[in-house]
Amino acid sequence: IETSMQGTKIGSMPVTIDTDPMLVGLMPNNYKILYALYRDIYYNDPVGGSAVDLFASLPFGDFNIGGIEDPKILQVFNENVERIGAKTLIPEMAVDQLVLGMHCSSLLYNKERKMFVDVMPYSPENLNVKTLPFYSQEPIITATFPDHYKNALATQSPRIERLKKLIGQDVFNKIQQGVLELDPMTTVYIPRKTFSDTDMGVSYYRRLLPLYLIEKNLFRGTLVESARRQRGMLHVTMGDGNEW
């Protein structure tokens, strides 16, 4: 260093500033890995997990539908709420939006009965969201169905046959094909948006992620050291062969 500094003024040395985003080079730019980390924070971080539980459970309690004067129409709405389990589904949708940055599901409509019979939620890892350059238009969402879903629905079972009649053979065929472009008319897509030019949701834990990565390393190191302290201590044996 002394040799390289000879004849050089400190004021003329170039100043370099790291202008890369914070996590560049620290972790892969892979959404599947990010979703796994966000789920890990929810399950194991006592502050982050509890905060999401409060936000997702406190606002959504028991509710009644009002404002409908026709009792027959009101009955139809109440039956749909009970059928799809909306009272338990809404808090889970809030958890999806906060932890993963989005909730996406399809409402399954039975044309013969003229009613919604169920909801099919999607994991963000299996979605491809393409943003359109129009603010009022829904994005183009393509869902990919994992093999274990296709294998489960291909099982020879009386229950599967009843589901085919209830949900419709078309839905089963599309799942077996493996890829499906979601219809915006029957798709529930709730992203946790930040900027106006994107439809991709951002997790509530995004700002917590750098601190979580540091905390995870400290936790693992502390856990290893605590395990080492529990085992026997290694001592040096000394002697001349006869007496030790």
Side-chain angles (χ1 to χ4, degrees):
I1 295 176
E2 292 178 356
T3 303
S4 62
M5 291 292 293
Q6 291 180 358
T8 303
K9 295 182 179 180
I10 301 297
S12 62
M13 294 180 60
V15 178
T16 59
I17 300 175
D18 184 5
T19 57
D20 290 328
M22 181 177 291
L23 297 180
V24 169
L26 297 179
M27 60 181 302
N29 187 16
N30 189 321
Y31 278 102
K32 292 185 177 181
I33 296 178
L34 288 176
Y35 292 139
L37 293 177
Y38 295 149
R39 288 189 175 96
D40 189 52
I41 295 174
Y42 176 72
Y43 285 130
N44 297 301
D45 191 280
V47 177
S50 300
V52 166
D53 286 339
L54 288 175
F55 278 116
S57 59
L58 286 180
F60 308 111
D62 193 11
F63 62 86
N64 296 314
I65 299 177
I68 301 177
E69 297 180 358
D70 192 335
K72 293 183 179 180
I73 297 178
L74 179 61
Q75 183 180 358
V76 172
F77 276 89
N78 287 326
E79 289 177 354
N80 279 277
V81 168
E82 293 295 333
R83 186 180 303 107
I84 67 177
K87 294 183 179 181
T88 57
L89 176 62
I90 292 176
E92 294 174 358
M93 293 168 62
V95 173
D96 291 342
Q97 187 203 32
L98 290 170
V99 176
L100 304 176
M102 70 173 72
H103 169 82
C104 184
S105 58
S106 291
L107 296 172
L108 304 180
Y109 185 75
N110 189 304
K111 296 181 180 179
E112 297 179 356
R113 299 186 180 184
K114 296 182 179 180
M115 64 181 183
F116 292 100
V117 295
D118 211 332
V119 177
M120 184 165 56
Y122 303 100
S123 176
E125 292 91 335
N126 301 324
L127 295 177
N128 182 17
V129 181
K130 295 182 180 179
T131 302
L132 297 176
F134 310 105
Y135 190 80
S136 61
Q137 296 296 319
E138 297 294 333
I140 299 175
I141 304 176
T142 305
T144 303
F145 296 96
D147 291 336
H148 64 272
Y149 282 167
K150 295 185 288 185
N151 295 335
L153 296 180
T155 304
Q156 298 297 326
S157 170
R159 183 178 177 185
I160 297 298
E161 296 300 324
R162 290 194 298 268
L163 284 174
K164 288 181 180 180
K165 295 180 181 180
L166 179 64
I167 297 175
Q169 185 66 45
D170 293 339
V171 176
F172 274 73
N173 294 337
K174 292 177 181 179
I175 295 176
Q176 292 297 330
Q177 292 175 1
V179 180
L180 172 65
E181 182 178 332
L182 303 185
D183 184 0
M185 295 297 294
T186 58
T187 300
V188 179
Y189 181 63
I190 310 175
R192 186 176 178 270
K193 296 182 65 174
T194 52
F195 301 106
S196 61
D197 61 344
T198 178
D199 286 304
M200 288 297 295
V202 178
S203 172
Y204 181 65
Y205 294 146
R206 186 61 180 83
R207 294 174 181 173
L208 181 64
L209 191 57
L211 298 177
Y212 160 78
L213 295 175
I214 297 175
E215 182 182 6
K216 185 174 68 171
N217 283 340
L218 293 176
F219 173 79
R220 287 185 174 180
T222 304
L223 192 66
V224 171
E225 290 300 323
S226 65
R228 289 177 178 175
R229 296 189 187 102
Q230 302 299 323
R231 66 186 183 185
M233 299 292 293
L234 178 62
H235 296 273
V236 178
T237 56
M238 303 180 64
D240 58 1
N242 295 323
E243 295 181 357
W244 298 92

